[in-house]
Amino acid sequence: MNLVIDVGNTSIKFGVFDLEAIKWKTTSNEDSFLKTLDEISKTFPSIKNCIISSVANLSKEHLSKLEESFDVLSLNHQTKVPFNNRYATPQTLGIDRIALMSAASFQYKNTNVLVIDAGTCITYDFINSENEYLGGAISPGITMRYKSLHTFTDKLPLLEKAHPNSYIGNNTANSIHSGIVNAVLFEIEGYIAEYKKENENLTVILTGGDTHFLRDSIKNDIFANSNFLLEGLNHILEYNKHSCLEK
């Protein structure tokens, strides 16, 4: 069994895999990291291998405890991955995006795949049918857009995200919801349309924290999978385990 840990900007996600199947997952913050790790060790004593992806800093104490309990692979830009990375500056590519492309490469072989990760940021990443990662785009996430309107203006309120009832907001709150949520949906639909123009039989994956909020409002056919990044990390761990065995 494998332990997969994704340290994001807002939370830490844990997943336990038996081969390719996710058996258990939870979310915590840094304060409860050690407690969660202890619970996992007691519940799944057969776990030996772990992979960690960190876009935020994790303390040395937490890393040390992790390495005491498991054989740990820390994902970085030198880690072997199951796709051809053609990004012009691979050392700057976010490791969360590396994990997503690994999932796409493994699960959708010989397919043009666009992965949309709607989280703190919204990322668009494309891997073609020849297993080449070509790049994508990064834009502000939904919550970031709400916060920016409040932070960089004097009077606009900070609202919780909500689906607008109309494209035309009849008050300030409705106008904000329309301006943010509809803009995100237009953006997503626009990117999908452009990728479809140039790539036949495009498969679109929607993942990230806002997956459930957005999926029913997207008109294009998509596959919604909130576990896609965790699955990608598990694929990378298995890929590297097999690479070591082949040496």
Side-chain angles (χ1 to χ4, degrees):
M1 300 185 82
N2 296 331
L3 173 61
V4 168
I5 304 174
D6 170 36
V7 184
N9 291 302
T10 57
S11 64
I12 302 173
K13 300 179 183 68
F14 298 80
V16 175
F17 284 80
D18 185 1
L19 298 178
E20 302 301 332
I22 187 166
K23 296 298 183 181
W24 179 90
K25 67 175 182 176
T26 192
T27 301
S28 77
N29 55 35
E30 190 168 357
D31 292 337
S32 58
F33 181 87
L34 295 180
K35 180 181 177 181
T36 304
L37 203 60
D38 186 57
E39 291 173 352
I40 292 171
S41 297
K42 291 178 180 177
T43 306
F44 303 97
S46 62
I47 296 176
K48 294 183 179 180
N49 295 284
C50 170
I51 183 170
I52 183 168
S53 162
S54 179
V55 298
N57 292 323
L58 198 63
S59 72
K60 291 183 179 180
E61 176 189 6
H62 292 168
L63 285 173
S64 296
K65 179 62 177 178
L66 193 63
E67 291 171 349
E68 288 174 9
S69 305
F70 310 102
D71 293 330
V72 179
L73 173 64
S74 294
L75 179 60
N76 58 46
H77 301 101
Q78 283 75 47
T79 304
K80 290 183 179 180
V81 292
F83 61 88
N84 180 12
N85 190 349
R86 292 184 56 190
Y87 205 59
T89 55
Q91 71 279 3
T92 70
L93 181 62
I95 51 179
D96 51 341
R97 299 170 74 186
I98 294 173
L100 292 170
M101 290 299 93
S102 296
S105 172
F106 185 86
Q107 296 185 30
Y108 298 92
K109 298 181 187 302
N110 305 315
T111 305
N112 295 314
V113 183
L114 174 64
V115 179
I116 304 170
D117 184 3
T120 303
C121 294
I122 301 174
T123 58
Y124 302 82
D125 290 289
F126 177 72
I127 188 167
N128 65 20
S129 58
E130 297 179 357
N131 202 34
E132 298 173 317
Y133 171 64
L134 303 183
I138 304 171
S139 72
I142 294 175
T143 298
M144 190 183 296
R145 298 182 195 213
Y146 277 102
K147 288 181 177 179
S148 68
L149 281 183
H150 174 66
T151 300
F152 296 108
T153 63
D154 289 330
K155 296 182 179 180
L156 291 180
L158 178 60
L159 304 177
E160 293 292 326
K161 65 186 177 186
H163 286 285
N165 295 321
S166 170
Y167 295 116
I168 302 174
N170 60 0
N171 58 42
T172 298
N174 290 340
S175 296
I176 291 173
H177 292 313
S178 179
I180 291 174
V181 177
N182 285 325
V184 167
L185 291 171
F186 290 148
E187 176 185 301
I188 289 173
E189 297 282 5
Y191 269 111
I192 293 174
E194 288 302 310
Y195 275 96
K196 281 186 172 181
K197 285 180 182 179
E198 299 184 7
N199 303 280
E200 295 181 356
N201 303 317
L202 181 71
T203 295
V204 181
I205 309 296
L206 177 66
T207 189
D210 285 324
T211 298
H212 298 296
F213 180 78
L214 292 170
R215 65 179 180 181
D216 293 334
S217 300
I218 296 174
K219 297 176 183 178
N220 277 278
D221 291 332
I222 60 169
F223 294 97
N225 184 348
S226 58
N227 294 326
F228 206 61
L229 194 149
L230 294 178
E231 292 170 0
L233 290 173
N234 185 60
H235 295 320
I236 293 172
L237 180 55
E238 286 294 314
Y239 183 76
N240 280 268
K241 283 163 61 177
H242 293 155
S243 295
C244 290
L245 290 173
E246 291 171 359
K247 289 183 178 179

